[in-house]
């Protein structure tokens, strides 16, 4: 009987383990390296022949065993053919041996050598796996250059195929019944250890795992060893080691674990792994971030593959939600999502108790997911929202839970993290797309249908005396409607009985005729339907309530916010959410964004929403946009339309439809729609100029405009003059009397009766013609200059061409003479003077009776000064002031003459429209005549304080344009713009923020120089503390340069010196605390201690300095940190000393005040007698009568010591006895109030000492005050 084979720790150990009896080891190894190639070939052939010719058990023979060992040990030295020969022999023998193992159960032990089979099985397995391990190590250690790979492939053998065949053979050997072969269900531990060790080592090679056959074989080996043969604990440790170390192995390990559970119906390996993860200290995952991420992915993959098994063990993992590793929490959230979607699909089956337990488990998981939406980590909050989106897509969210989820998602739209907001937006998009309530979610439709079915429900409900089923029966424990067809019924109702989803949102909902609704079944089904309709109504309201937030997100600095918000709004419009269309129109200005992705998102959304297959529908959408848009939206619309025209997205049929709307060829077209169509056609014409040419007569007949005259007619001023005359005559020839006013003319006073509407129209025509005349003159000037430059260029080219030939001497001489005399310059000056005169004559030619605009300008000026008439007719004031401003823009003299009037109106006009128009006009005037407007700068800034939001908004826009384009100096009024950062109107606040952001990008950041002045001005204004702090925090945040921050430290510290107001101390110290301190800045703060030491007594100031020092400690190096700590101790000590000094001074002041009050009146003794009755007595009494009916008695007895008796029950004052000189006594009396007129009586008294010394009493006048 051959000795037993025992798996050694290493291949070479077989040569040294022969000291034990009955153990198979190598006796005579062959030195393969000493053999030449031919001898080696023969040697391999001999071994292969013996293994093939003899029995398969011959490998345990000592001679064969020694030779095979020698070849395996030197396998790397063999030629490819020899390697293949040896490997195929070993593999084929093991393949033949495996079927014999099954025959062992049918044969007796006497005839079948069981130990020999076991030995041969072990030996073949050992040698084959050693060959695999050697080759893997050699490949890993040898780096093959790319140039040699092709050459190597020609002479090498297909090792990858052999490796897969061997591993599959090993896996097959583990899947047969090996219990009889090894004599026990638990196989030899050394055998299992050797197998798993090699298998796990191969998992570390990422190139091996790319071969699916190799990967599958390795997974089968791991699954069989750990599950079938109960090698679980060791396999679990190895798997966790690999998962922690290598990220590429996670998915394959999950496949191995899941495959073992599926094949052997045994989840012990998965359970052990989950328990091992659950037992791990959560703090360990904080340190090992890579391991935490890999473990998390591993758990998610397991939950995806074996959800029921993981759901049974999820309680082990839940405590990790309290850990600090957000990666583990992210993974657990994803695990819960997988389990909810997959582990409870057959929840309706099984026993009632089991079903209840599973439902409670699912509900607990859902509650955890809702709770995790408020996780401290933005990554986890984002991940849980993504999980909810996945559940929504899988239809795993019940109707009962639907609205809770959508409310959470709506709340996360205001999350501070952009990734959370993105996930929330995607979740809302997914919930709209998969909502169970129907294809349109208009509130009016839901409310109408809900009311009808509530009436139906009341009819079906039993009377009060009868029993009725509980409402709890409608929903099950998971909040789902029992009626599985409920969602289908709701959708069918919306198609059949709800109002038409294509109606505009402004139309009223038509109630169902005769109050009849489709019958959906019995009472319970009707209740379920009503509950579903109520849930749908709540869902629609929740989505609609997010519209203001979505508008804010479209102004976000994050491109993902903008893009996903646009996608959500498009989905809302598709489902007809109330308010979605109005919000979508606010995306138009985003086409001017510099971010290409935002522009593309807007363009794509515009194309999807407004460009339809029907040309009429597309034209209608575009003209409606044009009529409902403001100036900014029109500019954006023009930009988008131009882009779509250039791409060919607006077809010729759409353009034809627009012409039909303009020409009233479409039934029901209004004048407003016609103007909108013309506006869109003008936008298209800027890209495709031929659009207007074919319909020029229609434009003249229907939509004649003043601009077209100046663009087409060769002498537009003649037609314009006729228009003004006709307009004036239409105003004067008027039957109705609406306005009466006396207009002063040169001939005296002329009564004038006109209609307000006609006069307003006339003023518009006059001013608009004047503006177009100015533009026309400038265009003529540009044409002449262009022609002149073209001629000069042509002459220079001709001169250069003729330079080689003969140039006409006369022309050359003329050019030279003109250049020397400066005739060319004088010609340009003459042209400029001509153009200036032409411009001036538009308005200032008022003295000439033939100048219509000039005459009308005088009339406008006088009309606008009639404030009584203007207040009576605000519409007329709006037109008149707008016309006046246009004329002021044309002529400088006229502007200067009416500036006072303009500023008076812009400050005192009751109409906010007038004030807004005048504010905008001021911006144009500042561009046109900056020197005239410069003295009025303060008045322009004053518009920022207007009570009307629209005026303030326009003032912000105007001043932003002027300042950012260097048309106006900032000067000392910029603080008014800073105040707008806290404007109650959020749009104004955002515009102000945008202004300061753009201002900070100019040059060397002007905000740095303006900040001290802004601080000074704001601290003197009546601003709340929060508003001041918010403003300064925003402004300081715009300063990024360290050098400027350090300079601000010095400037702000020096500001403490000249300030005595405690409020300003707090503001300055707050601004200091908002600076980003560097090491240099911190040292400067410490050096300037003397400048602010006097303010450290205030607690609020001290808190700001402590904040500065705490931030400084975070970035400071060791040396600076020590200095900061010493400085902090100094500040705290100085603060306490200052507090004590102030307390002492305060107490002294209080005491002084009390002393001063007690000295209000004094007692004195007069030397004169006021009456004879008092002179006879040597002893008298000094008495003071007060209004409290209490007496203050001062008995002065010459033969006794002076006594002071004071009744202080009501006065609260104290008496004081002070020794002056030796023998002199001063008596001070408390202040006492007297009734009516002050009364005091003093009597003379001579006080003598027993020894004859005189005691002098200081004489004082007694005073008393009420």
């Amino acid at each position: 009987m051959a000795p037993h084979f025992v798996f050694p720790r290493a291949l070479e150990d077989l040569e040294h383990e022969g000291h034990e009896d009955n153990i198979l080891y190598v006796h005579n190894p062959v030195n393969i390296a000493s053999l030449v190639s031919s001898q080696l070939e023969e040697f391999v052939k001999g071994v292969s022949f013996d293994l093939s010719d003899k029995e398969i058990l011959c490998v345990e023979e000592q001679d064969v065993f020694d030779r095979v060992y020698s070849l395996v040990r030197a396998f790397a030295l063999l030629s490819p053919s020899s390697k293949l020969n040896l490997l195929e022999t070993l593999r084929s023998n093991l393949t033949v041996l495996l079927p014999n193992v099954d025959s062992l159960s049918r044969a007796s032990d006497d005839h079948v050598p069981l130990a020999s089979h076991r030995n041969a099985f072990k030996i073949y397995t050992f040698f084959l796996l050693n060959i695999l391990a050697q080759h893997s190590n050699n490949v890993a250690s040898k780096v093959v250059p790319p140039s040699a790979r092709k050459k190597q492939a020609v002479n090498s053998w297909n090792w990858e195929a052999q490796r897969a065949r061997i591993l599959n053979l090993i896996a097959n050997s583990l899947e047969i019944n090996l219990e009889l072969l090894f004599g026990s269900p638990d196989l030899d531990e050394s055998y299992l250890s050797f197998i798993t060790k090699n298998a796990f080592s191969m998992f570390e090679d990422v190139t091996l795992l790319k071969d699916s056959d190799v990967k599958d074989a390795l997974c089968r080996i791991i699954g069989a060893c750990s599950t079938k043969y109960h090698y679980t604990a060791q396999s679990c440790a190895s798997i966790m080691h690999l998962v922690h170390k290598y990220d590429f192995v996670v998915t394959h390990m999950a496949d191995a674990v899941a495959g073992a559970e599926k094949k052997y119906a045994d989840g012990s390996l998965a359970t052990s792994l989950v328990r091992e993860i659950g037992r791990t200290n959560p703090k360990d995952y904080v340190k090992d971030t890579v391991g935490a991420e890999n473990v998390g992915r591993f758990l998610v993959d397991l939950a995806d593959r074996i959800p029921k098994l993981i759901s049974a063990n999820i309680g082990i993992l839940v405590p990790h939600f309290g850990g600090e590793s957000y990666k583990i929490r992210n993974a657990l959230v994803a695990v819960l999502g997988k389990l909810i979607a997959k582990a409870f699909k057959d929840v309706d089956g099984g026993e009632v108790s089991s079903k209840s337990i599973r439902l409670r488990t699912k509900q607990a998981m859902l509650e955890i997911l809702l709770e995790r939406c408020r996780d401290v980590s933005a990554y986890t909050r984002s991940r849980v929202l993504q999980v909810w989106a996945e559940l929504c897509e899988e239809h795993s969210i019940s109707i009962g839970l639907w609205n809770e989820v959508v409310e959470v998602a709506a709340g996360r739209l205001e999350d501070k993290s952009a990734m959370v907001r993105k996930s929330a937006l995607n979740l809302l998009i997914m919930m709209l797309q998969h909502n169970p309530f129907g294809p349109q979610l208009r509130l009016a439709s839901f409310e109408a249908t809900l009311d009808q079915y509530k009436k139906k429900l009341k009819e079906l409900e039993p009377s009060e005396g009868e029993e009725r089923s509980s409402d709890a029966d409608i929903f099950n424990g998971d909040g789902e409607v029992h009626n599985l067809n409920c969602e289908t019924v709701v959708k069918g109702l919306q198609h059949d009985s709800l109002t038409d989803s294509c109606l505009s949102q402004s139309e009223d909902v038509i109630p169902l005729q005769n109050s009849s609704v489709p019958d959906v079944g019995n009472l319970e089904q009707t209740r379920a339907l009503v509950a579903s309709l109520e849930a749908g109504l709540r869902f629609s309201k929740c989505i609609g309530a997010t519209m203001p937030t979505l508008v804010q997100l479209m102004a976000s600095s994050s491109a993902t916010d903008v893009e996903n918000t646009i996608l959500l709004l498009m989905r809302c419009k598709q489902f007809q959410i109330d308010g979605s269309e109005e919000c979508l129109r606010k995306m138009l200005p985003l086409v001017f964004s510099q971010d290409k992705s935002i522009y593309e998102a807007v363009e794509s959304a515009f194309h999807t929403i407004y460009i339809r297959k029907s040309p009429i529908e597309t034209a209608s959408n575009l003209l409606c946009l044009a009529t409902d848009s403001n100036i900014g939206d029109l500019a954006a619309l023009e930009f988008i339309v131009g882009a779509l025209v250039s791409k060919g997205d607006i077809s010729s049929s759409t353009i034809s439809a627009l012409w039909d709307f303009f020409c009233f060829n479409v039934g029901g077209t209004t004048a407003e729609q016609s103007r909108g169509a013309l506006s869109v056609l003008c936008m298209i014409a800027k890209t495709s100029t031929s659009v207007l040419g074919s319909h020029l007569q229609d434009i003249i007949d229907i939509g004649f405009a003043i601009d077209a005259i100046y663009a087409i007619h060769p002498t537009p001023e003649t037609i314009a003059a006729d228009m003004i005359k006709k307009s004036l005559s239409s105003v004067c020839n008027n039957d109705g009397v609406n306005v009466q006013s006396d207009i002063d003319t040169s001939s005296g006073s002329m009564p004038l009766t006109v209609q307000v509407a006609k006069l307003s129209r006339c003023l518009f025509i006059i001013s608009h013609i004047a503006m177009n005349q100015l533009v026309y003159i400038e265009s003529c000037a540009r044409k002449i200059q262009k022609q002149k430059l073209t001629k000069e260029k042509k002459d220079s080219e001709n001169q250069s061409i003729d330079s080689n030939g003969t140039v006409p001497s006369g022309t050359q001489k003329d050019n030279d003479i003109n250049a020397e005399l400066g005739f060319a310059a004088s010609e340009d000056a003459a042209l400029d003077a001509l153009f200036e005169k032409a411009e001036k004559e538009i308005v200032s030619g008022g003295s000439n009776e033939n100048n219509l605009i000039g005459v009308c300008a005088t009339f406008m000026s006088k009309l606008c000064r009639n404030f009584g008439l203007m207040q009576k007719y605000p519409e007329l004031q709006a037109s008149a002031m707008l016309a006046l401003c246009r004329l002021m823009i044309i002529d400088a003299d006229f502007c200067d003459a009416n500036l006072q009037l303009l500023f008076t109106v812009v400050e005192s006009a009751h109409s906010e429209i007038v004030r807004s128009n005048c504010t905008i006009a001021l911006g144009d005037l500042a561009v046109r005549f900056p020197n005239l407007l410069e003295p009025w700068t303060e008045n322009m800034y004053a518009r920022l304080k207007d009570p009307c939001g629209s005026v303030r908004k326009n003032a912000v826009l105007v001043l932003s344009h002027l300042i950012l384009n260097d048309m106006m100096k900032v000067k000392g009024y910029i603080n008014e713009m800073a105040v707008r950062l806290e404007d109650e109107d959020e749009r104004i606040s955002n515009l102000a923020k945008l202004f300061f952001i753009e201002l900070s990008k100019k040059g060397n950041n002007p905000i740095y120089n303006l900040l001290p002045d802004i601080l000074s001005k704001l601290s003197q204004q009546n601003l709340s503390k929060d508003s001041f702090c918010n403003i300064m925090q925003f402004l300081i945040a715009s300063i990024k340069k360290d050098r400027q921050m350090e300079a601000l430290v010095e400037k702000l510290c020096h500001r403490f010196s000249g300030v005595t107001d405690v409020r300003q101390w707090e503001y300055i110290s707050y601004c200091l605390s908002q600076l980003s301190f560097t090491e240099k800045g911190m040292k400067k703060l410490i050096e300037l201690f003397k400048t602010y030491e006097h303010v450290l007594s205030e607690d609020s100031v001290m808190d700001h300095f402590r904040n500065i020092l705490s931030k400084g400690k975070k970035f400071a190096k060791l040396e600076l940190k020590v200095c900061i700590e010493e400085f902090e101790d100094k500040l705290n000590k100085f603060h306490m000393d200052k507090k004590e000094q102030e307390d002492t001074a305060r107490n002294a002041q209080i005491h002084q005040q009390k002393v001063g009050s007690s000295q209000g009146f004094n007692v004195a003794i007069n030397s004169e007698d006021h009456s004879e009755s008092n002179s006879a007595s040597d002893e008298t009494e000094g008495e003071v009568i007060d209004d409290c009916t209490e007496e203050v008695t001062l008995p002065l007895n010459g033969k006794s010591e002076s006594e002071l008796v004071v009744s202080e029950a009501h006065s609260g004052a104290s008496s004081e006895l002070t020794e002056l000189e030796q023998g002199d006594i001063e008596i001070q009396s408390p202040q006492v109030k007297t009734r009516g007129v002050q009364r005091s009586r003093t009597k003379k008294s001579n006080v003598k000492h027993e020894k004859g010394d005189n005691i002098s009493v200081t004489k004082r006048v007694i005073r008393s005050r009420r």
Side-chain angles (χ1 to χ4, degrees), residues 476-748:
N476 60 22
D478 192 28
E480 297 185 10
V481 180
H482 278 305
N483 183 12
L484 298 179
N485 295 325
C486 182
E487 296 178 14
T488 307
V489 171
V490 173
K491 293 179 181 178
L493 284 170
Q494 289 186 341
H495 284 298
D496 299 336
S497 64
L498 297 185
T499 54
D500 187 6
S501 62
C502 296
L503 293 175
S504 64
Q505 297 182 8
S506 60
E507 296 183 32
D508 295 331
V509 178
I510 303 174
L512 297 174
Q513 295 180 357
N514 301 325
S515 299
S516 62
V517 292
D519 190 2
V520 294
N522 57 22
L523 176 63
E524 294 303 323
Q525 289 175 331
T526 306
R527 283 181 180 173
L529 178 58
V530 169
S532 297
L533 286 172
E534 289 176 341
L537 182 63
R538 181 182 169 191
F539 174 69
S540 180
K541 287 181 178 179
C542 185
I543 296 292
T546 63
M547 294 300 139
T549 305
L550 296 179
V551 172
Q552 294 178 2
L553 287 177
M554 282 197 290
S556 172
S557 58
S558 172
T560 56
D561 281 349
V562 180
E563 294 172 24
N564 288 284
T565 300
I566 293 173
L567 292 176
L568 176 57
L569 286 172
M570 291 174 62
R571 190 69 68 186
C572 289
K573 187 177 186 301
Q574 175 187 345
F575 286 89
Q576 300 184 19
I577 297 295
D578 293 356
S580 58
E581 189 168 358
E582 291 77 6
C583 291
L584 268 174
R585 290 190 178 184
K586 296 182 179 180
M587 76 174 180
L588 292 178
L590 295 175
V591 295
F592 300 115
S593 174
Q594 297 180 353
D595 194 319
K596 184 180 179 181
S597 60
I598 294 178
Y599 166 74
E600 291 176 349
V602 175
E603 186 181 15
S604 174
F606 185 91
H607 189 279
T608 303
I609 297 169
Y610 299 110
I611 307 300
R612 303 300 177 90
K613 293 182 179 179
S614 171
I616 294 291
E617 191 175 356
T618 301
S620 178
N621 290 338
L622 294 177
L623 68 88
C624 287
L625 271 178
T627 54
D628 297 340
S629 298
N630 55 31
I631 296 176
D633 291 343
L634 282 175
L637 180 61
E638 180 180 328
F639 188 85
I640 296 179
V641 167
L644 294 177
V645 170
S646 61
K647 291 182 179 180
D649 292 334
I650 296 181
S651 62
S652 58
S653 56
T654 301
I655 297 174
S656 299
L658 286 168
W659 282 118
D660 291 338
F661 275 107
F662 171 67
C663 299
F664 297 92
N665 294 335
V666 178
T669 303
T670 63
E672 186 179 14
Q673 289 177 326
S674 176
R675 288 194 296 270
L678 181 60
S679 177
V680 176
L681 287 169
C682 292
M683 296 175 186
I684 296 174
K686 292 190 176 181
T687 304
S688 178
T689 55
S690 61
V691 170
L692 298 179
S694 59
H695 292 76
L696 191 58
Q697 188 61 43
D698 293 331
I699 297 174
I700 296 174
D701 295 340
I702 301 172
F704 194 77
I706 298 172
D707 295 347
I709 298 174
Y710 280 89
I712 300 172
H713 203 278
T715 56
E717 62 273 6
T718 56
I719 299 180
D722 293 337
M723 290 183 65
I724 294 177
K725 291 176 183 178
K726 290 180 181 180
S727 180
L728 288 172
S729 63
S730 67
V731 171
C732 297
N733 298 331
N734 153 50
D735 297 333
V737 178
N738 286 353
V739 179
Q740 262 196 338
S741 173
D742 290 339
I743 303 297
D744 294 332
T745 61
S746 57
S747 60

Side-chain angles (χ1 to χ4, degrees), residues 39 477 554 771 865 931 1053:
Q39 294 175 336
M554 282 197 290
M771 286 295 297
R865 295 177 191 274
N931 294 334
C1053 287

Side-chain angles (χ1 to χ4, degrees), residues 11 72-76 129-139:
L11 178 65
V72 171
R73 184 183 62 178
F75 189 78
L129 285 178
N130 264 287
I131 292 173
L132 289 181
Q134 285 187 51
H135 193 273
S136 298
N137 293 334
N138 291 337
V139 171

